[in-house]
Amino acid sequence: MATSSERTSPPPFPDSEDQDLAECEGVGDRVSDEDGDGEDLFLSASGPTMSDMDPALPTTITNAPSEVLFEPPLDLMSSPILEPETKPAAAAVVEAVVETVAEPVAELVEEPLDEFDDLVDLSTDVPSVQATAAAAESPLAEAEAETPSEEACEEFVDLSGSDSDSSSQEETLLEVPADSAAASSDPQDASAALPPGDVATGSAADEQQPGAALLEVDIGQASANGGKQPLSEDLFFDPLANLADAGPPPPPADVKQPAPPQQQQQLPLDLFEDDPNDLFGESRHAKSAKQQQPPQPSSLFGEVDEDIFGEPLGAPAAKRAGNMASREQRETTVGTKTSGLGGGAGGGFGDVGGPLNNNYEKEPADIFSEEAVTIAPTAAKAAAAAASSSRTNGVHGAAEEGDIFAEATVELSLDSPRADRKKNTTAAKPSTSATSLSSAATDLSKTHSASLEELEEEEQEDNFDVNISVTNPEKIGDGMNAYMAYKVSTQTTLAMFRTKTFTVRRRFSDFLGLYEKLTEKHAPNGFIVPPPPEKSIMGMTKVKVGKEDSSSGEFVERRRAALERYLQRVVCHPSLLQDPNVREFLEKEELPRAVGTQALSGAGFLKMLNKATDAVSKMTIKMNESDVWFEEKLQEVEAADQQFRKLHGMVESLVVHRKELSLNTACFSKSVAMLGSSEDNTALSRALSQLAEVEDKMEQLHQEQASCDSFSFAELIADYIRLLGSVRGSFDHRMKAWQRWQEAQTMLQKKRESEAKLLWANKPDKLQQAKDDIAEWEAKVTQYEGDFDRVSSTVRKEVVRFEKEKVKNFKRQIIKYLEAQLKAQQQLIKYWDAFLPEAKAIA
Amino acid sequence: MTTALGESDKEKTRSVSVDLNNDTALIIDIPDALCERDKVKFTVHTKTTLSSFQKPDFSVPRQHEDFIWLHDTLVETEEYAGLIIPPAPPKPDFESPREKMHKLGEGEATMTKEEYTKMKQELEAEYLAVFKKTVQVHEVFLQRLSSHPILSKDRNFHIFLEYDQDLTVRRKNAKEMFGGFFKNMVKTADEVIISGIKEVDDFFEQEKTFLLDYYSKIKDSTIKAEKMTRSHKNVADDYIHISATLSSISADDSTAIKKHFEKLADLFEKLRKVEGRVASDQELKLTELLRYYMRDIQAAKDLLYRRARALADYENSNKALDKARLKSRDIPQAEEQQQLCLQKFDKLSESGKRELTSFKGRRVVAFRKNLIEMAELEIKHAKNNVALLQGCIDLMKTH
């Protein structure tokens, strides 16, 4: 298709971006320098590179941007993977490259605007992070695997897959002398970086700009290199030669054989089934150039490039297209794919199949993070049967590391600065101990998994470190303008807060305002934002009118408790806790008055309108769900919603009946007391008045139980009905993202058709415009697709988290509720026990 | 009175615990009853050693109306004016469970099958309980008659027990119904009139104030207790729905909470049964007791009324005698009348005093028995609840 146009016309960058890109290119050079003299550096000490990285992360502020920036590349990576399917192979890849370039720009513009006022931070951050990227690019594949994956895994499982693969592969090569291993790991990286997405693994994952820049360079080179194949081929083969070279201890053939399948599996995107053999054939000749080559990023990317463009020349494009298709399939048919590729790996390479399995299993595992831990080790164990112990370690480590990262990244990137610092230290720790790479790799993975577990634990503790209580509801003002204000006290040990305890006064609409802000920002990304209790005109009017009756008191108390639970849920959510609005809400003395929370204000009306249109579009648009998981979950959520509503009604009626019972018991108690006073038999009279007392206490018990039903049980259910609403909301947002993507695709299709028409009509003047449009829409399609994937995966994670929380919370609350009931029954026994002798004393 | 304590086991299970002398000479029970639409046919079984009966053991079919007829004839018998005639059993009332059943049928669509079945079972149980209660109040009526030294010898009573055909007591026609109503009106008006008569006996004066006061109190208590037990029943019914909903939630759920919900549903189902028992035991031990004594006090009040009427008659006859003496006309007749009234009044007073004293003792014993039983049952059920809750909490905590 229109490959040429894509190559020549990458989407326009904003000026600032260009600057950044230029800078990044510079950085890229610097990286190459570093690598050049850093050959030994990477062998012996990744410490320097790590310390290089440290300056980038000394403070939260500088760190935070990088985190934010880490997110977009993920799209960058995920998007091309699905994309190529629809396009001719070669063009597809290039296209993807172009799009990846295009996308970060869009993302970048968006993100900084959202989160940060100035790009200065960003750009200052860039070089330092780039240093990390350099380190990553370097033979220290392990370090590389961590740094990018830490950020990247959040969204892009594949990445961690290839990373861990490369590291595991490295593992296999680590038995050979260290320096050759170092060199050899590079080709792995390079090969890992073959698809554009994987390029991002190395650099773009850390910083999309450098990645983009490098890619651009590549593209430039590629287009320029059109015929210069031999030269670039040379470049490309060199590292592979290293690979071949790397395995002197085992017979060369041995090394050669494992390598191709590894590559094959590792990079399903470009399974160069033919190529590797060729390459190896040639690589033997090209042994000489090896050591110097890898450090040069330009050449490195030349290789990448070369690979992308050069490969089709050598290998049938159809084959690759087929591979891509299968790669595409992998998303859904993990099992078949694994077996297929495992088969492809060959009988002799069970260990190779091992990591592969890990990788593939990790994909779902990442989402079902809990199972992942179990799956990955088993796969690793399976590999262990065939492989040497060190290899197994590597595989195991890599696999586990991968999914741990995958799981932890959300927490990591969104966790407190402390966690970030921790991350740095964990990253630095293994590198200092990296006296020999083989031990380093195993150590690394171990320390990593260990430290990450710690981290997770810590994170959980952190959750409880923020203790919020909402107390002292107080009516402020008079008449209909009156409102309730609550004291929000926070106790925390988190460093992100200025002090350990602080208290602010917030009115109800402030709580709603916080929710509005949080949903606006996080809900479109698929996050489940805990909802606050609804506005209640009835309840509030009662309070406003100022009747101090029990029902208004109960209303206030119930709302207070609901608000407390709401805030507690918000701060328990790792990503919401990081939101500046939350911090502001908890800390800031004065908040700007929340607007638009009025039930029937103008904004409220608009909101209603929006909701109505949403509902309509929800009905009219039928999403052909590609993922069974979502379909099932959605159904589950909807069924649960319905059931919970029903249950809530039941419990409410229980509360009503219990209150009735309490009231009737009170009446009876009074009546019996009267009867007792009329009774002329003294003993019976006494017994009857005792009975009246017992019934009076019974009334208290029923009252308590009613409020217990209401507060512990009905409210719990009400909370979950609200939360399920949010869950559904997140599903809706996912669908919206899908819709946007589909629309963009339709649009792209239209543009292409019009281009074809123009071509037919031979109108070259308009052709350029059409091509630009196509490029633009292709970029959009990629971006939206990425968005969709990102939202999908967030929704998944959020739902899993929600369910986990649900189980915990429900269990706790139900036990609490039952204990209250138990206490009531024990009291009851006590009362009747005391009454029994009185009854017996009647004579 | 002491015999009440040594009552048989059967007596203990009786819904309405009234202290009844166990006269082995005449034992009556209703072993069976048949419900035909609105009519309930009771099989009245009698076992006797009395020679006045043709056979020692016999059963007859009787309807509610026959009981009413018996009661009315007893009340109208002049000889028994000084006795507390046992209150007539209330008309069988299956309206409330029927109505509920109807409502349940309407709401079937909103419930799960399981839930519906449970509700239906619950209603059937309720219906059965009402039925049993009806049978028992009829039985108790006959037993009280049989245990009464005078009433047990009543001819109509014997006919009621022995006549093996349908009694086919004539149903009251509209005129009689109206007449009955009118009579009640007259009685009420009469009560007001004779209330102005000065009481000559302190005992009756006291009894009168006590019974009037007590009646209003116990009536109130009965209504309140009824409400209380009904709302308790509602609570138990809510448990059914909650349990059913919980189990359907647990069926849909796929997370770890599933088994907790299952357990909770199970717990609620068990708690429901216990709560249902608590409600029905309260109904049986407390509400029924109060209700029965409410009616019994009404009967005692009727006795007082009759006595007061006799007193008024006596006063009137005195006046008539005075008038006759004044006019010197019909003096012997008036004297005779006055003597008659005095005799009747004295007889009434005497037997009334005896009856009321025995009634008082009977009431105290019945209250004692029922209150003890209720307290024990409450404790038992609460302990059951505690065990269930504790078990569930332990289960949840360990998993």
Side-chain angles (χ1 to χ4, degrees):
Chain A
M1 206 169 270
T3 39
S4 64
S5 73
E6 270 135 28
R7 274 185 211 160
T8 49
S9 59
F13 290 96
D15 284 340
S16 61
E17 240 59 63
D18 273 342
Q19 226 171 14
D20 278 350
L21 286 170
E23 204 177 313
C24 291
E25 265 176 273
V27 169
D29 286 341
R30 209 182 84 195
V31 172
S32 71
D33 289 344
E34 225 167 42
D35 277 2
D37 60 18
E39 191 56 68
D40 55 334
L41 187 144
F42 292 120
L43 299 176
S44 56
S46 50
T49 47
M50 284 305 158
S51 58
D52 238 3
M53 198 170 96
D54 276 343
L57 313 157
T59 61
T60 25
I61 307 141
T62 48
N63 200 15
S66 64
E67 274 165 20
V68 176
L69 287 167
F70 291 152
E71 279 180 84
L74 309 168
D75 315 7
L76 191 145
M77 284 170 274
S78 52
S79 48
I81 293 154
L82 297 172
E83 175 66 21
E85 177 200 28
T86 54
K87 291 160 195 166
V93 179
V94 179
E95 222 170 66
V97 173
V98 173
E99 275 155 13
T100 52
V101 178
E103 194 171 317
V105 176
E107 284 287 346
L108 256 177
V109 176
E110 238 173 75
E111 294 284 327
L113 281 179
D114 268 355
E115 302 269 1
F116 306 102
D117 304 330
D118 52 348
L119 277 160
V120 184
D121 264 354
L122 256 170
S123 44
T124 53
D125 208 34
V126 166
S128 49
V129 179
Q130 182 53 31
T132 333
E137 215 35 61
S138 74
L140 197 70
E142 208 57 59
E144 179 237 63
E146 285 146 33
T147 36
S149 61
E150 267 172 74
E151 288 84 28
C153 285
E154 180 180 287
E155 298 279 353
F156 193 52
V157 193
D158 244 71
L159 182 70
S160 63
S162 56
D163 277 343
S164 47
D165 228 22
S166 62
S167 56
S168 71
Q169 228 174 344
E170 183 194 45
E171 257 313 309
T172 65
L173 293 158
L174 283 173
E175 284 151 21
V176 307
D179 47 347
S180 62
S184 68
S185 64
D186 224 13
Q188 307 298 347
D189 284 353
S191 54
L194 281 176
D198 286 343
V199 174
T201 318
S203 55
D206 288 335
E207 241 321 307
Q208 63 196 124
Q209 281 162 308
L214 290 166
L215 283 170
E216 218 197 1
V217 173
D218 302 343
I219 295 156
Q221 270 192 351
S223 49
N225 271 2
K228 281 194 222 163
Q229 206 209 331
L231 181 128
S232 43
E233 210 164 40
D234 224 356
L235 286 170
F236 178 56
F237 294 148
D238 280 337
L240 282 167
N242 282 347
L243 215 168
D245 193 37
D254 246 351
V255 182
K256 200 177 96 187
Q257 274 181 332
Q262 273 173 346
Q263 271 189 326
Q264 239 175 310
Q265 290 136 18
Q266 177 191 5
L267 308 161
L269 228 175
D270 47 356
L271 295 165
F272 301 137
E273 279 162 23
D274 302 326
D275 265 338
N277 288 325
D278 292 349
L279 293 175
F280 276 97
E282 278 179 84
S283 63
R284 290 206 188 105
H285 304 292
K287 268 178 194 173
S288 56
K290 59 220 158 184
Q291 296 284 38
Q292 291 81 2
Q293 294 295 357
Q296 303 243 324
S298 57
S299 65
L300 208 97
F301 286 100
E303 288 156 30
V304 173
D305 214 16
E306 162 47 35
D307 188 44
I308 293 163
F309 297 109
E311 188 272 336
L313 301 171
K319 192 174 272 178
R320 204 160 66 148
N323 285 334
M324 276 178 216
S326 60
R327 171 78 159 78
E328 161 76 5
Q329 274 172 13
R330 209 183 62 175
E331 287 274 330
T332 45
T333 58
V334 174
T336 39
K337 197 66 193 172
T338 312
S339 63
L341 282 165
F349 309 108
D351 55 325
V352 177
L356 179 71
N357 284 340
N358 285 346
N359 290 336
Y360 287 137
E361 262 150 4
K362 224 182 304 154
E363 203 160 64
D366 172 40
I367 288 133
F368 308 110
S369 42
E370 274 178 320
E371 291 104 287
V373 186
T374 56
I375 291 169
T378 22
K381 254 174 230 162
S388 69
S389 62
S390 69
R391 264 187 207 177
T392 324
N393 277 341
V395 168
H396 186 121
E400 206 160 56
E401 189 190 309
D403 61 45
I404 283 168
F405 274 130
E407 191 186 14
T409 34
V410 190
E411 292 143 18
L412 263 174
S413 58
L414 299 161
D415 214 324
S416 62
R418 216 159 47 145
D420 276 310
R421 252 175 264 132
K422 181 114 190 174
K423 184 172 74 187
N424 293 343
T425 53
T426 53
K429 210 191 285 171
S431 59
T432 47
S433 68
T435 40
S436 95
L437 264 174
S438 59
S439 66
T442 44
D443 278 355
L444 203 96
S445 54
K446 273 178 192 164
T447 48
H448 245 275
S449 48
S451 61
L452 274 162
E453 270 160 35
E454 269 170 41
L455 250 180
E456 262 181 280
E457 272 166 35
E458 192 185 15
E459 193 251 339
Q460 274 189 339
E461 278 163 27
D462 280 354
N463 282 349
F464 296 108
D465 270 354
V466 189
N467 209 336
I468 291 183
S469 55
V470 177
T471 48
N472 293 10
E474 191 181 27
K475 199 172 102 175
I476 292 178
D478 276 315
M480 284 323 278
N481 288 324
Y483 62 89
M484 295 299 294
Y486 302 84
K487 207 167 104 182
V488 179
S489 320
T490 316
Q491 263 190 315
T492 180
T493 54
L494 288 186
M496 59 181 272
F497 295 104
R498 274 176 301 202
T499 45
K500 280 203 157 79
T501 52
F502 40 88
T503 303
V504 286
R505 277 205 90 75
R506 294 283 178 258
R507 54 181 294 179
F508 181 65
S509 55
D510 293 336
F511 289 84
L512 294 186
L514 174 66
Y515 172 68
E516 292 291 322
K517 283 181 200 155
L518 290 178
T519 30
E520 212 176 294
K521 201 192 282 182
H522 297 283
N525 293 329
F527 284 105
I528 298 169
V529 181
E534 294 91 357
K535 256 194 182 265
S536 162
I537 293 171
M538 267 289 284
M540 207 42 211
T541 309
K542 253 188 197 166
V543 174
K544 276 175 181 166
V545 170
K547 279 205 186 116
E548 285 297 317
D549 66 338
S550 66
S551 74
S552 80
E554 205 175 273
F555 166 77
V556 169
E557 167 57 20
R558 195 181 316 169
R559 175 171 274 184
R560 184 206 63 74
L563 289 173
E564 191 175 287
R565 287 194 306 272
Y566 156 65
L567 282 186
Q568 201 63 52
R569 282 205 177 91
V570 168
V571 297
C572 275
H573 195 292
S575 43
L576 295 184
L577 178 60
Q578 292 300 318
D579 194 287
N581 284 317
V582 174
R583 249 177 288 174
E584 205 171 67
F585 180 86
L586 294 176
E587 267 185 329
K588 210 171 172 189
E589 206 52 58
E590 286 292 321
L591 267 190
R593 177 102 153 72
V595 286
T597 60
Q598 276 79 12
L600 276 172
S601 64
F605 184 71
L606 271 180
K607 231 187 291 167
M608 270 166 62
L609 213 67
N610 274 342
K611 272 186 188 153
T613 46
D614 275 2
V616 170
S617 70
K618 217 190 286 176
M619 276 190 285
T620 50
I621 287 155
K622 205 180 166 311
M623 179 173 177
N624 58 338
E625 185 60 82
S626 55
D627 197 327
V628 191
W629 187 88
F630 281 101
E631 209 166 23
E632 278 173 0
K633 269 293 167 227
L634 186 60
Q635 272 172 4
E636 222 172 76
V637 165
E638 263 162 13
D641 185 59
Q642 220 176 0
Q643 296 286 6
F644 272 123
R645 270 171 209 282
K646 196 176 160 196
L647 185 63
H648 189 250
M650 301 292 177
V651 177
E652 286 285 291
S653 99
L654 174 68
V655 171
V656 168
H657 284 143
R658 194 98 79 180
K659 277 185 184 156
E660 232 168 59
L661 174 61
S662 159
L663 200 73
N664 288 333
T665 311
C667 288
F668 178 68
S669 161
K670 280 194 197 90
S671 182
V672 166
M674 295 296 283
L675 186 68
S677 71
S678 301
E679 176 61 58
D680 56 357
N681 182 301
T682 19
L684 182 55
S685 166
R686 204 180 127 80
L688 285 177
S689 56
Q690 288 292 326
L691 178 67
E693 254 173 59
V694 170
E695 293 294 347
D696 195 48
K697 283 172 189 156
M698 225 43 92
E699 182 234 327
Q700 291 290 320
L701 276 185
H702 291 316
Q703 190 70 49
E704 277 163 27
Q705 270 188 295
S707 58
C708 180
D709 287 335
S710 168
F711 285 113
S712 303
F713 202 30
E715 281 292 281
L716 170 74
I717 296 160
D719 268 9
Y720 271 89
I721 291 171
R722 285 197 284 266
L723 274 171
L724 284 171
S726 283
V727 174
R728 264 155 53 139
S730 74
F731 277 96
D732 287 348
H733 280 295
R734 177 177 168 269
M735 201 178 75
K736 269 188 211 152
W738 182 82
Q739 220 176 300
R740 217 161 36 142
W741 172 34
Q742 294 302 310
E743 276 166 12
Q745 260 183 350
T746 323
M747 199 62 186
L748 179 61
Q749 198 58 41
K750 271 187 199 153
K751 295 279 176 201
R752 286 208 175 118
E753 276 164 18
S754 63
E755 190 211 17
K757 270 183 204 152
L758 286 173
L759 266 174
W760 186 256
N762 201 14
K763 284 181 183 162
D765 49 332
K766 283 184 184 166
L767 202 60
Q768 189 52 45
Q769 175 62 34
K771 282 191 201 304
D772 287 352
D773 277 356
I774 287 173
E776 187 191 330
W777 279 100
E778 272 167 349
K780 274 186 184 165
V781 166
T782 321
Q783 184 202 334
Y784 290 155
E785 193 188 357
D787 280 351
F788 172 67
D789 284 346
R790 195 162 44 91
V791 171
S792 294
S793 111
T794 311
V795 169
R796 265 183 168 207
K797 247 173 265 160
E798 284 286 289
V799 168
V800 168
R801 184 181 178 279
F802 163 78
E803 283 180 343
K804 245 196 246 170
E805 288 283 310
K806 184 175 97 175
V807 173
K808 252 197 327 206
N809 199 2
F810 254 105
K811 196 174 150 182
R812 200 173 52 228
Q813 286 293 321
I814 285 172
I815 288 176
K816 217 171 107 192
Y817 170 65
L818 292 181
E819 271 168 351
Q821 284 226 346
L822 182 71
K823 224 180 101 198
Q825 293 293 330
Q826 278 162 343
Q827 284 297 103
L828 204 138
I829 294 176
K830 227 173 75 188
Y831 295 149
W832 284 110
D833 260 338
F835 174 73
L836 199 55
E838 293 288 340
K840 280 182 175 157
I842 303 169
Chain B
M1 288 316 118
T2 47
T3 45
L5 296 170
E7 272 171 352
S8 67
D9 283 348
K10 186 172 175 280
E11 196 69 21
K12 269 183 196 160
T13 59
R14 236 168 236 166
S15 65
V16 181
S17 297
V18 193
D19 171 36
L20 297 171
N21 291 318
N22 260 4
D23 188 356
T24 47
L26 185 62
I27 298 168
I28 304 165
D29 64 336
I30 302 178
D32 195 22
L34 208 79
C35 189
E36 279 174 2
R37 282 206 257 151
D38 280 350
K39 286 193 178 58
V40 183
K41 282 189 175 170
F42 304 93
T43 308
V44 179
H45 173 246
T46 313
K47 224 174 150 180
T48 181
T49 54
L50 294 179
S51 55
S52 55
F53 291 102
Q54 286 171 349
K55 282 183 280 180
D57 199 323
F58 46 87
S59 294
V60 287
R62 291 290 176 262
Q63 289 182 23
H64 172 71
E65 282 73 17
D66 303 333
F67 286 82
I68 299 299
W69 165 80
L70 180 62
H71 177 258
D72 287 351
T73 52
L74 290 176
V75 167
E76 278 156 18
T77 309
E78 193 76 7
E79 285 171 59
Y80 306 143
L83 306 176
I84 296 175
I85 311 292
K91 199 176 181 328
D93 181 19
F94 300 114
E95 266 319 295
S96 119
R98 267 197 199 130
E99 204 177 299
K100 276 193 193 167
M101 192 70 97
H102 186 68
K103 255 192 210 159
L104 181 70
E106 279 174 351
E108 192 182 349
T110 62
M111 277 179 261
T112 62
K113 202 164 177 253
E114 190 190 1
E115 205 176 349
Y116 177 76
T117 323
K118 271 186 201 157
M119 285 302 280
K120 209 177 149 193
Q121 277 170 359
E122 197 62 20
L123 276 182
E124 278 163 3
E126 198 182 322
Y127 183 82
L128 204 70
V130 171
F131 190 76
K132 268 187 187 162
K133 218 165 66 190
T134 310
V135 170
Q136 270 164 348
V137 287
H138 285 81
E139 198 179 59
V140 162
F141 171 69
L142 295 180
Q143 280 166 345
R144 273 206 48 196
L145 287 178
S146 76
S147 63
H148 197 279
I150 300 165
L151 291 176
S152 64
K153 294 180 180 69
D154 182 66
R155 178 150 170 71
N156 283 323
F157 180 47
H158 285 198
I159 290 171
F160 177 90
L161 293 176
E162 207 173 17
Y163 186 64
D164 61 352
Q165 305 295 307
D166 266 355
L167 272 179
T168 55
V169 285
R170 199 164 47 82
R171 304 275 167 266
K172 282 178 183 169
N173 58 32
K175 197 180 157 199
E176 275 174 326
M177 288 278 269
F178 183 73
F181 178 68
F182 186 70
K183 218 166 76 185
N184 259 339
M185 290 279 285
V186 170
K187 188 183 144 201
T188 319
D190 209 26
E191 263 173 348
V192 176
I193 294 163
I194 60 176
S195 66
I197 295 166
K198 200 185 169 293
E199 182 56 70
V200 288
D201 194 326
D202 270 355
F203 173 81
F204 285 103
E205 180 64 43
Q206 267 179 18
E207 272 309 300
K208 198 177 117 190
T209 44
F210 167 70
L211 286 179
L212 280 174
D213 182 39
Y214 204 76
Y215 180 73
S216 66
K217 299 282 167 58
I218 205 167
K219 196 175 169 187
D220 184 59
S221 292
T222 310
I223 294 165
K224 299 287 161 61
E226 217 170 290
K227 270 190 184 167
M228 184 174 77
T229 45
R230 206 184 305 139
S231 46
H232 211 122
K233 191 104 195 108
N234 285 338
V235 169
D237 283 350
D238 286 334
Y239 280 9
I240 297 183
H241 297 299
I242 290 172
S243 167
T245 317
L246 278 171
S247 64
S248 54
I249 286 178
S250 81
D252 287 347
D253 207 295
S254 60
T255 55
I257 202 76
K258 187 186 177 78
K259 45 181 202 302
H260 295 315
F261 276 134
E262 255 166 35
K263 260 176 247 149
L264 202 61
D266 197 41
L267 173 73
F268 268 108
E269 172 62 18
K270 283 174 184 155
L271 286 183
R272 185 269 291 193
K273 279 183 182 145
V274 178
E275 284 301 321
R277 287 292 295 279
V278 171
S280 66
D281 282 341
Q282 264 180 10
E283 164 93 27
L284 230 59
K285 296 293 167 198
L286 197 65
T287 318
E288 279 299 293
L289 172 85
L290 293 171
R291 195 179 290 135
Y292 189 82
Y293 275 93
M294 185 181 88
R295 286 190 286 119
D296 222 6
I297 286 168
Q298 182 59 49
K301 264 172 67 193
D302 285 348
L303 166 67
L304 283 185
Y305 163 71
R306 287 192 295 268
R307 188 187 154 274
R309 184 71 255 169
L311 179 62
D313 285 348
Y314 172 61
E315 298 267 311
N316 285 342
S317 69
N318 266 348
K319 273 180 203 156
L321 182 64
D322 283 351
K323 224 184 248 174
R325 282 203 178 124
L326 213 69
K327 287 179 184 168
S328 313
R329 226 175 3 154
D330 303 330
I331 296 172
Q333 279 157 314
E335 267 180 351
E336 197 187 334
Q337 181 68 26
Q338 190 245 9
Q339 277 304 312
L340 215 72
C341 284
L342 182 64
Q343 257 177 26
K344 191 186 160 194
F345 174 68
D346 281 348
K347 203 183 137 205
L348 264 177
S349 294
E350 194 196 335
S351 75
K353 205 176 247 178
R354 207 174 48 232
E355 283 280 307
L356 285 172
T357 317
S358 98
F359 164 75
K360 198 170 279 185
R362 198 172 67 223
R363 193 186 71 230
V364 171
V365 170
F367 266 83
R368 178 179 191 270
K369 184 170 160 274
N370 273 14
L371 287 180
I372 289 174
E373 278 174 8
M374 189 177 77
E376 278 169 350
L377 283 168
E378 289 273 1
I379 291 168
K380 191 185 118 195
H381 294 319
K383 278 184 177 159
N384 255 339
N385 272 340
V386 165
L388 286 172
L389 287 164
Q390 190 66 59
C392 190
I393 290 171
D394 290 345
L395 260 174
M396 283 211 170
K397 274 186 176 165
T398 50
H399 288 290

